Amino acid sequence: QVQLVESGGGLVQAGGSLRLTCAASGRTFSRNAMGWFRQAPGKEREFVAAITWSGDMTWYLDGVKGRFTISRDNAKKMVYLQMNSLKPEDTAVYYCAADYQNQVAIITKEYAYDSWGQGTQVTVSS
């Protein structure tokens, strides 16, 4: 089992930046693909970004491409989501998740993931 704790959320003006951090503990972190999802009020949770265990491949929601960057540091057991040029529509609770089986074919799907963090709130004001 991997335990995940997100941090770095907050209130920021449109056009600003935030870096979310996901700290992992427990099961061998470096073998897991990792993802970020978000859920806005009244909406379903949606995929935002994912990265393979080695960091050699990444995926992004179309609406965040060019603005968000996912990265990882396996030595520190950390995953990051750098968010630039934030928009009010990026407002949501952001969740970190671990995929134990590195299921690349379904890496953008919630059901690929085995462990989830508690989430961190990101609010972008206009």
Side-chain angles (χ1 to χ4, degrees), residues 39-51:
Q39 187 168 22
K43 296 186 177 181
E44 294 187 351
R45 189 156 56 184
E46 66 175 352
F47 168 79
V48 176
I51 188 168

Side-chain angles (χ1 to χ4, degrees), residues 1 16 19 22 26 29 39 44 48-49 55 74 92 94 112 116:
Q1 190 81 351
R19 188 175 84 153
C22 175
F29 169 78
Q39 187 168 22
E44 294 187 351
V48 176
N74 287 342
Y94 283 71
W116 293 81

Side-chain angles (χ1 to χ4, degrees), residues 33-37 46-52 57 59 97-114 116:
M34 298 295 296
W36 286 95
F37 288 74
E46 66 175 352
F47 168 79
V48 176
I51 188 168
T52 51
M57 295 178 66
W59 292 258
D99 168 15
Y100 297 167
Q101 300 178 62
N102 293 286
Q103 302 172 90
V104 171
I106 56 171
I107 203 166
T108 64
K109 308 299 184 182
E110 281 192 59
Y111 56 81
Y113 295 85
D114 305 284
W116 293 81

Side-chain angles (χ1 to χ4, degrees), residues 29-108:
F29 169 78
S30 63
R31 299 176 184 173
N32 303 327
M34 298 295 296
W36 286 95
F37 288 74
R38 67 186 181 186
Q39 187 168 22
K43 296 186 177 181
E44 294 187 351
R45 189 156 56 184
E46 66 175 352
F47 168 79
V48 176
I51 188 168
T52 51
W53 68 270
S54 63
D56 63 339
M57 295 178 66
T58 57
W59 292 258
Y60 294 95
L61 176 70
D62 283 347
V64 308
K65 285 180 180 177
R67 300 190 298 121
F68 290 12
T69 303
I70 187 171
S71 61
R72 66 189 296 161
D73 185 333
N74 287 342
K76 295 182 178 179
K77 294 187 177 182
M78 295 284 197
V79 180
Y80 308 99
L81 186 67
Q82 178 66 44
M83 305 187 297
N84 299 328
S85 303
L86 283 161
K87 304 176 181 180
E89 51 264 43
D90 294 320
T91 295
V93 177
Y94 283 71
Y95 298 90
C96 174
D99 168 15
Y100 297 167
Q101 300 178 62
N102 293 286
Q103 302 172 90
V104 171
I106 56 171
I107 203 166
T108 64

